[in-house]
Each structure stands twice: as structure tokens, then as C-alpha cells.
Amino acid sequence: MWEQRYALRTKQMKSSAIRDLLTITEQPNVISFAGGLPAPEVFPVAEVGSIVQKILQNNGAQALQYGATEGYFPLRSLIAQRYSSAELKLTADNVLITTGSQQALDLLGKLFIDPGKQVVIEEPTYLGALQAWNAYGAQYLTVPIDEQGMLVEELESRLQDQPGWIYALPNFQNPSGTTLSLARRQRLIELAMHYQVPVIEDDPYGELRFSGEPLPPLLHLAATTNTTASELPIIYLGTFSKVLAPGLRVGWMIGPQQVISKLAQAKQGVDLNTATLNQMIAYEMMQSGFLQEHIKGICAQYRIRRDSMLEALTRYFPQTAQWSKPDGGLFIWATLPQGIDSKALLSQAIRQKVAFVPGSAFYANGGGENTMRLNFSNATPKLIQEGIARLGQLLQTLPEMATILSPVS
Amino acid sequence: MWEQRYALRTKQMKSSAIRDLLTITEQPNVISFAGGLPAPEVFPVAEVGSIVQKILQNNGAQALQYGATEGYFPLRSLIAQRYSSAELKLTADNVLITTGSQQALDLLGKLFIDPGKQVVIEEPTYLGALQAWNAYGAQYLTVPIDEQGMLVEELESRLQDQPGWIYALPNFQNPSGTTLSLARRQRLIELAMHYQVPVIEDDPYGELRFSGEPLPPLLHLAATTNTTASELPIIYLGTFSKVLAPGLRVGWMIGPQQVISKLAQAKQGVDLNTATLNQMIAYEMMQSGFLQEHIKGICAQYRIRRDSMLEALTRYFPQTAQWSKPDGGLFIWATLPQGIDSKALLSQAIRQKVAFVPGSAFYANGGGENTMRLNFSNATPKLIQEGIARLGQLLQTLPEMATILSPVS
């Protein structure tokens, strides 16, 4: 009685690679570079505990009750204040609290995508965005990336037919780990303004920078030429998942008030409001200044793990492989010699009890067969060394590698 | 740059009556019968506090981490166990945890509704369901209700053209407060099986019964004739919002495994998973037996409030008005004489600092202008008396009432 009823949607939602991979991750003794999980060691468990007590004692009835769809007002105000700049004056009306950043992606799809609608994405890009938008029937115009992020010179040709938006992850991109350079950020904004195509700036990792100098978000770069928030061509997505705890499911969107108001209307039909207690936890953590200090600790840990993985890659991976050197975030992107299929490699790797995500999962329109995403945040340096060593050994034994290393003359 | 992009969706989502009304509710000194809010006095604030401490101490890393999209396994298992019966053996695979019941409604829309798809609903019905499904372009076939719930004899004619589902709220329906009789439940299942149309059984209030005998859920009635869970024609929606705390945003869906699996796939793109900590709170409350005892306390409080409102209606409302006498739940439904417009009444009532929801908000295809939904859970008996007295006085002064009471002969 059920099958014929969801044929269409099922086809649109067939990609569930992340979920299947999380299942592998949960197997005991697997060294997993597959997920995008924060290190549990850095969760501020005790602080969450004492803040929950404080909230419940002072404000228990509000914390456990329904709340406004737009979110907990003090949290919205605080986020508005934090992202305001000399050129950009934001208020709570510019902020919608979401049930994690993933919900922001879904709400954007619900409001703006009808079947067949084209949107511009980086290639590769965040798999969760594809999953959210596939369900609405999105089509993708892709722009390749290099070590400085999106190849903005290739963007212009994608903007001719008024796509729905440009989706950009400027900082420590998922999956590639690359950061969009300042010159490219400026050019991207120019093009967006010229062609009147909005930009979705997804920035879950921006505060997790371990090296190099911070770059301004597109949100601020756009504001220098365009002073009122209502004319902003940007919707900025942020989240507490990577800097506090993903299990809380609290994120935010910043944008023009009239768009935020429509998105809130969409959210009302989706989950009424984000868990009130959780929003209050995030607010207290942010308001007290604890969060800023806490982020420094996360960065210190992750820097060690990134350095450990880069060192292990140099030691164990073949010289014919290449990989990104991210200044922050959670991921390194490795490119194997042409001809190596990282999907096939994964099934062998799992037998060796080590996992990663084949890069092709992040390509909307196919490609990337010889690439892989390696997460360095969720494993200790010791396990990183061991896991990369196993992958390196596996690569050395591949018949394809032999061909590449000593081609038949 | 934004406006032209969301014209279509905006039209589909224009109804935001609940949200506008929640805004009114938040004004100081308004006696509100408008929302569907639980009484904050019954929230188990101290127990939530001590359970959070226990969870964080024993399992902090898991509570703050991403979790499986399907939900926290022990909670899914416990819910499966609780809803299993002699005829129906459920496992965790039959259960999906949702971010409140509202998310369940959204996921159903995402998986099963394409623009123009018809679904059968009760008239009046839950406004949040209409908001969720309007966004997907649903059309509604309505079945009227009387004091025994949906008029099942009128259902058959709505099933001829293979609608997507029958949406039923069998217990203390929102908004009407009515309960579907056993005979009608059985006939509804027969019709659903005969016409092979699934049933969405939405049961947020079933455990909040203050009088009369409990009736079996459609889920169990369907299982007596149809023994395997995979053939079940029912998706059952439950929530912790009304029996524990809506601010946690934890609900559940029960259904055939293959449908639950598709819904989980849809949920992955929507919010990855429901907040882990919150699921663990709900699990601990349920597993320890605390929740069952706690529900008895809620029922005792709500019975007093229902009785107070029924008594006040008899005392203050005109004899030409009628209202439901619910055996549980949160709502009383009042029908005023024909010719009285409850929307116009509301604007006058707000000046008298009392609020309710005009019944027409719950009609998908128009109607119900002379009806109103009165919530009794969120105000104390003293305020209930005062608020109903104000509404009663207002009704006495309406020119339309004068016409009705002494018609021009």
C-alpha cells in the first residue's frame, strides 16, 4: 500500500552516503576519518551541566515551554550584535534560530526551490546541502575549486540564467578544507551584485582557524558597498555544532529582515521552534564569554590533529598523491593518481578497519572518483598515525598504483 | 533582489494565524485561551535538572554529539515496546524520533505530497498540519465531525480517487476536543483497508484523559486484522510535548519499517538528528516510570481547569451557544449562533484583554465563522472564570445577538 506513493521523492533522496558511513563509523575498532564529528574530548560537559541548572532554577518554565518560531530573543540579539560591523547594523529581526545549520539548508530549499530550479554550488561541496535540495528537485551548476577556493573566474558564466543562488563555504570548506582568498571573495560579491543573484554563505568552521589570518565574511564584504541590511545579497549560516556541541542542534541564519520573516514562516510548519532549553544553553555560553575561550581550546587540539595528519600523509601516502593544507576546520582533501577509485579503496580500507568518505559523494553531477575526504577532528593523533599508515600501505599494494608508478613502456 | 524569488512558496504558506496569535498571547495581562500551551506549573523542572546531571555525568560525550538520524536507540526500543500489543510486535525499526510532532507532519508532506495531491482531513482540523502540507501544495478533502468525531459515513466518498492519506486525531481532537467513538474507529480502519488508503493517526493528547474509558488507538485496531507490522496501514504520531515539555521538541512516528526508513532518509536532509540530550532526557523520564506518574498529576490539574471552563461557559455564555464536553486534552470548541463572526469578536475581545482562536482558522476550505477554540490548560481556574465572563459579557452586547435572541417577527 505504501511503495507506489513515494516513488518520486525517494528517487530525489536516494543519496544517503553520510548516513551509511556513520553506520560504519559506529563499528568498534574502526579508525574513522569518515564523519564530520567534533572531538568529544572537547565538549564542555561540566559547563553545560552547571548552565542547565542555572537556567532551570531561574527560568525553568520558559526553558521547557514552546517559544517563538524566530528563536529565543536574547540569543537573536546577541548574534545580531556579534555580526554587526561599522557598515552593517543588524538587529534580532535579521536573525532566525534554526535546528542546526542543516535546517537552514532545508528552509532555503522550501522557500526558493521548485523542481528544476538551478543553483550554483562549489565542486566538490557539502553533501548535506545536496541532500536538502535534492528533495526539492534542485539542479546544480558547478564551479570547480583550487587551493584558493571557488574558481571565481568560472562563476560568471553560471550566473547568466538567473540561478536561485550561489552557495559558498568560504572558510575551510567541507569537504576540501580550502579557504576562499580575499580577492576572490571581493570578486564573488561583485558578480553577485551585478547579476543580482543572492549568496548563501555557509560558515560552520570559520572560528576554527589554527593558522593564517582571518578573512572577512562575505556578509561584511557585501555590506561595504551596500549599507542597509534589507538590501543585503547574503544569507549567512552559522552553527554552535562545531564550536560547542552538535547534540544541541542550534544554528542561525542572518539575512534581510523580509527574507528572515519568510523563512520563519516556513520554519513554523517544519518544527514550530528550536528546542528552547538548548537555545538558552547556547545563549548563556556565548553571553558569558565562555564560548570564545572554549574555542581557543578546540583550536589548540585540532591544530595538533591536523599537523599529525599532514605529517602522516607525507610519511605514508605515495608521492603521486596530493592533499590540501587547511588553515582550520575539520577536513583534509586528498587527490590520488588518476585511475584510482576511492570507492573501491574504501571497501578494502574497511576490512583494514579504517574509513573515509570517497570524494565522489561531494560531486553533484559526477566526478571526483580519485579523491577522498579525511576528517582529522575526531581521532587522536595516535589513531591518525595508525589510520593513515594503513591507508598508505593499502595504496602501495594497489595494482593500479603499480601501473602508475612504473608504467609499461 | 529577493521578492520575486519566493512568490510561489509565500502564497502557499500565507496562513500564520497561530503565530500571530502567540504574539497576542505574549502581551501582558491578556487572559489567553488562544494557544495550545501546556500549563507551565506542571513542568517537572527539578526532575529534568537532576536527570540532565545524571546524563552528563554518565554519558556526556554522547549527549552532546551528533546521533543517528533515526533517533536514540534505547528510546526507539522503549517506544516500540510500549506500543506493542498481542497482535502487533514492534521493534526500534518501526520508530523514528522526530523534532516534535510538527516535524513528523512536515516529513510526511515531503515524502508523499506533490502539488495538487489530495489528502483527507477532519473539518475542523489541526492548523499546524495544514501549514506543514500547504507548503507542499496539498489539496484537502474534508470530512465533518460531530460530538463522536469524524463522520465516518461521509468518509467513503472521499476515498474513491486514491487520496494520499486520511489524517485523523482520534483523541480529544485539536481543535474540537471530540473523541472518535469505537464503532467509528473500526469503520475507519475497514474503509482504509478496503480502499488501500493509509491513515495518519495524530495522538498528542491520548494520555491526557480525565473522564470516560480509554479507547484503543487505530494502530492497534488495524493490527487485529493485519498482523505484520510491514503491512500496517497506519502511521502513528506521538509526542512528549503535552505530557513532559514542548521545549524539548521530541516526538515519534510509528509505522511499517520500510516507510520509517524512507522518512528517516528525508529527516537526514532536514535536521540530521533530533537533539541527542533531549532524547536522552525523554528516555530517562519514560524508562524510570516517572512519566506515567507525572501524567496523572497533569490530568488532575487539567480536569479542574476543564470543569472550571465548562461551568463558566454554562454561567456566562448565551443559551444559544453550544460547546463540546471533552474527556481530555486541552481544548473546548464553542459554536455561537449563526451570524456571529468569531474573528470580529476576537478583535473586540482583545480590547477586553481576553483571547481565543477563531474557529475558521481550522477549516482548510472555508467555513466555521461562528466557532471558536478555547484552550483550558494554560490558565488558572480563576483566570478561566474571569476570561469566560468577559467573553460572555461581550457576546451579550453584540447587536447580532440581540437580533438572534429577539428576531424581528
Side-chain angles (χ1 to χ4, degrees):
Chain A
M1 130 185 265
W2 294 98
E3 286 68 15
Q4 79 278 15
R5 295 174 190 277
Y6 49 70
L8 172 70
R9 302 284 166 177
T10 303
K11 212 175 63 188
Q12 290 169 351
M13 292 191 291
K14 69 176 186 294
S15 166
S16 64
I18 282 183
R19 195 150 61 104
D20 297 345
L21 284 159
L22 280 174
T23 313
I24 293 164
T25 310
E26 286 163 10
Q27 290 174 10
N29 305 323
V30 169
I31 300 174
S32 180
F33 307 132
L37 307 186
E41 300 86 1
V42 302
F43 291 151
V45 176
E47 291 78 3
V48 170
S50 60
I51 277 175
V52 169
Q53 294 319 299
K54 185 182 152 194
I55 292 167
L56 291 175
Q57 271 161 31
N58 298 337
N59 232 338
Q62 186 181 3
L64 299 179
Q65 188 60 283
Y66 287 112
T69 301
E70 290 83 353
Y72 180 54
F73 188 82
L75 180 60
R76 293 167 66 211
S77 299
L78 193 58
I79 289 170
Q81 189 185 316
R82 179 181 143 199
Y83 284 93
S84 287
S85 68
E87 291 86 11
L88 184 65
K89 301 296 170 213
L90 299 168
T91 71
D93 288 337
N94 297 112
V95 179
L96 174 68
I97 305 299
T98 56
T99 303
S101 248
Q102 189 66 37
Q103 182 177 69
L105 299 169
D106 177 56
L107 294 177
L108 288 166
K110 191 179 278 285
L111 199 59
F112 294 110
I113 298 179
D114 290 310
K117 182 72 187 173
Q118 292 187 315
V119 297
V120 178
I121 58 170
E122 295 161 341
E123 180 178 78
T125 194
Y126 171 53
L127 178 52
L130 303 178
Q131 288 183 288
W133 300 335
N134 286 347
Y136 296 97
Q139 300 289 317
Y140 303 102
L141 298 168
T142 59
V143 181
I145 59 170
D146 66 12
E147 63 280 1
Q148 292 188 59
M150 189 196 291
L151 284 164
V152 178
E153 66 263 38
E154 294 203 22
L155 176 61
E156 189 161 9
S157 67
R158 316 295 196 271
L159 301 181
Q160 312 292 335
D161 296 331
Q162 277 283 310
W165 61 61
I166 305 160
Y167 176 59
L169 295 120
N171 294 317
F172 327 124
Q173 198 235 21
N174 180 358
S176 71
T178 54
T179 293
L180 193 64
S181 69
L182 182 60
R184 289 193 188 174
R185 287 176 195 231
Q186 282 162 334
R187 181 66 181 143
L188 192 157
I189 295 292
E190 278 170 21
L191 288 170
M193 303 292 277
H194 180 76
Y195 288 94
Q196 289 283 295
V197 176
V199 180
I200 310 301
E201 178 175 24
D202 194 358
D203 192 23
Y205 318 109
E207 291 185 278
L208 299 180
R209 177 179 279 277
F210 335 134
S211 51
E213 286 304 309
L215 293 171
L218 301 173
L219 182 72
H220 288 165
L221 290 174
T224 56
T225 54
N226 200 350
T227 44
T228 77
S230 70
E231 289 161 3
L232 263 187
I234 312 276
I235 292 178
Y236 177 97
L237 314 186
T239 176
F240 290 101
S241 289
K242 303 305 187 293
V243 295
L244 179 52
L248 295 178
R249 313 305 302 124
V250 183
W252 64 87
M253 310 180 81
I254 299 174
Q257 181 179 343
Q258 74 277 18
V259 184
I260 291 295
S261 159
K262 294 289 173 199
L263 289 163
Q265 217 170 313
K267 178 174 166 66
Q268 195 186 10
V270 160
D271 70 354
L272 296 179
N273 63 268
T274 294
T276 325
L277 175 63
N278 306 31
Q279 293 186 66
M280 292 168 91
I281 295 171
Y283 169 75
E284 293 293 337
M285 290 284 193
M286 193 173 165
Q287 184 272 334
S288 69
F290 170 84
L291 190 61
Q292 281 311 111
E293 286 306 306
H294 179 64
I295 289 170
K296 292 180 193 166
I298 299 176
C299 287
Q301 289 276 347
Y302 286 7
R303 182 193 292 116
I304 294 168
R305 293 177 182 206
R306 175 203 60 180
D307 291 346
S308 173
M309 189 172 275
L310 288 174
E311 191 268 331
L313 285 166
T314 305
R315 184 180 306 177
Y316 297 112
F317 262 40
Q319 290 191 338
T320 45
Q322 295 177 308
W323 49 87
S324 60
K325 281 93 186 168
D327 280 321
L330 277 66
F331 305 108
I332 290 172
W333 180 252
T335 305
L336 303 171
Q338 287 291 342
I340 307 261
D341 178 356
S342 66
K343 251 192 201 161
L345 184 68
L346 176 61
S347 35
Q348 293 185 269
I350 285 167
R351 264 169 290 181
Q352 305 290 326
K353 301 277 183 196
V354 55
F356 59 87
V357 186
S360 57
F362 306 97
Y363 282 71
N365 301 333
E369 287 77 8
N370 63 326
T371 59
M372 60 203 293
R373 191 190 74 175
L374 296 166
N375 168 267
F376 56 78
S377 62
N378 194 242
T380 59
K382 186 160 172 258
L383 290 174
I384 287 173
Q385 292 293 320
E386 176 60 30
I388 297 294
R390 286 187 207 168
L391 284 178
Q393 281 154 18
L394 202 54
L395 281 167
Q396 309 291 358
T397 63
L398 286 184
E400 299 93 324
M401 282 302 293
T403 321
I404 290 155
L405 292 173
S406 41
V408 180
S409 57
Chain B
M1 132 184 267
W2 294 98
E3 286 68 15
Q4 78 278 17
R5 294 175 191 277
Y6 49 70
L8 173 69
R9 301 285 167 177
T10 303
K11 213 176 64 190
Q12 290 169 350
M13 293 191 290
K14 68 176 187 293
S15 166
S16 65
I18 282 182
R19 194 151 61 104
D20 297 345
L21 284 158
L22 280 175
T23 312
I24 294 165
T25 310
E26 286 165 10
Q27 290 173 9
N29 304 322
V30 169
I31 300 175
S32 180
F33 307 132
L37 306 186
E41 301 86 1
V42 302
F43 290 150
V45 175
E47 291 80 3
V48 170
S50 59
I51 277 174
V52 168
Q53 294 318 298
K54 186 182 152 196
I55 291 167
L56 290 175
Q57 271 161 31
N58 298 338
N59 232 337
Q62 187 181 2
L64 299 180
Q65 188 59 284
Y66 288 112
T69 301
E70 291 81 353
Y72 180 56
F73 188 81
L75 180 60
R76 294 168 64 212
S77 299
L78 193 58
I79 290 170
Q81 189 185 317
R82 179 180 143 199
Y83 284 92
S84 286
S85 68
E87 292 86 10
L88 184 66
K89 302 295 170 214
L90 298 169
T91 71
D93 289 336
N94 298 111
V95 179
L96 175 68
I97 304 299
T98 56
T99 304
S101 247
Q102 187 68 36
Q103 183 178 68
L105 298 169
D106 177 55
L107 295 177
L108 289 166
K110 190 178 279 286
L111 199 59
F112 294 111
I113 298 179
D114 290 310
K117 183 73 186 171
Q118 293 187 316
V119 297
V120 178
I121 58 171
E122 297 161 340
E123 182 177 76
T125 193
Y126 172 54
L127 178 52
L130 302 179
Q131 288 183 289
W133 300 335
N134 286 348
Y136 295 97
Q139 301 288 318
Y140 303 101
L141 298 167
T142 59
V143 181
I145 58 169
D146 66 12
E147 65 279 1
Q148 291 187 59
M150 189 197 289
L151 284 164
V152 179
E153 67 263 38
E154 296 202 22
L155 175 62
E156 189 159 10
S157 67
R158 317 294 196 271
L159 301 180
Q160 312 293 335
D161 296 330
Q162 278 283 310
W165 60 61
I166 305 160
Y167 176 59
L169 295 120
N171 293 316
F172 328 124
Q173 197 236 21
N174 180 359
S176 71
T178 54
T179 293
L180 193 65
S181 68
L182 182 59
R184 289 192 187 175
R185 287 177 194 231
Q186 282 161 334
R187 181 66 182 143
L188 190 159
I189 295 292
E190 279 170 20
L191 288 170
M193 305 291 276
H194 179 76
Y195 287 95
Q196 289 283 295
V197 177
V199 180
I200 310 301
E201 178 175 25
D202 194 358
D203 192 24
Y205 318 109
E207 291 186 279
L208 299 180
R209 176 178 278 279
F210 334 136
S211 51
E213 286 304 311
L215 293 172
L218 301 173
L219 183 73
H220 288 165
L221 289 174
T224 55
T225 54
N226 201 350
T227 43
T228 76
S230 71
E231 289 160 2
L232 263 186
I234 311 276
I235 292 178
Y236 177 98
L237 313 186
T239 177
F240 290 101
S241 290
K242 303 305 188 294
V243 295
L244 178 52
L248 295 178
R249 313 303 303 124
V250 183
W252 63 89
M253 310 180 80
I254 300 173
Q257 181 180 343
Q258 74 277 20
V259 185
I260 290 295
S261 159
K262 293 290 174 199
L263 289 163
Q265 216 169 314
K267 177 174 166 67
Q268 196 187 10
V270 160
D271 69 356
L272 296 179
N273 64 266
T274 295
T276 325
L277 175 64
N278 305 31
Q279 293 187 65
M280 292 169 92
I281 295 171
Y283 169 75
E284 293 293 337
M285 290 283 193
M286 192 173 165
Q287 184 272 335
S288 69
F290 170 84
L291 191 61
Q292 281 311 111
E293 286 306 306
H294 179 65
I295 289 170
K296 292 180 192 166
I298 299 177
C299 287
Q301 289 275 345
Y302 286 9
R303 182 193 291 115
I304 294 169
R305 292 176 182 205
R306 175 201 61 180
D307 291 346
S308 173
M309 189 173 275
L310 288 173
E311 192 266 333
L313 286 165
T314 306
R315 186 181 304 177
Y316 297 113
F317 263 40
Q319 289 190 339
T320 45
Q322 294 177 308
W323 50 87
S324 60
K325 280 93 186 168
D327 281 321
L330 276 68
F331 304 108
I332 290 172
W333 181 252
T335 305
L336 303 171
Q338 288 291 343
I340 307 260
D341 177 357
S342 66
K343 251 193 201 162
L345 185 69
L346 176 61
S347 34
Q348 293 185 272
I350 285 167
R351 265 169 294 184
Q352 305 290 324
K353 302 277 181 195
V354 55
F356 59 88
V357 185
S360 56
F362 306 97
Y363 282 71
N365 300 332
E369 287 77 8
N370 62 326
T371 59
M372 59 204 292
R373 190 190 75 173
L374 297 165
N375 167 266
F376 57 78
S377 62
N378 194 242
T380 60
K382 186 158 171 256
L383 289 175
I384 287 173
Q385 292 293 319
E386 177 60 31
I388 297 294
R390 285 186 207 167
L391 285 177
Q393 281 155 18
L394 202 55
L395 281 168
Q396 307 293 358
T397 63
L398 287 184
E400 299 92 325
M401 282 302 293
T403 321
I404 290 154
L405 292 174
S406 42
V408 180
S409 57

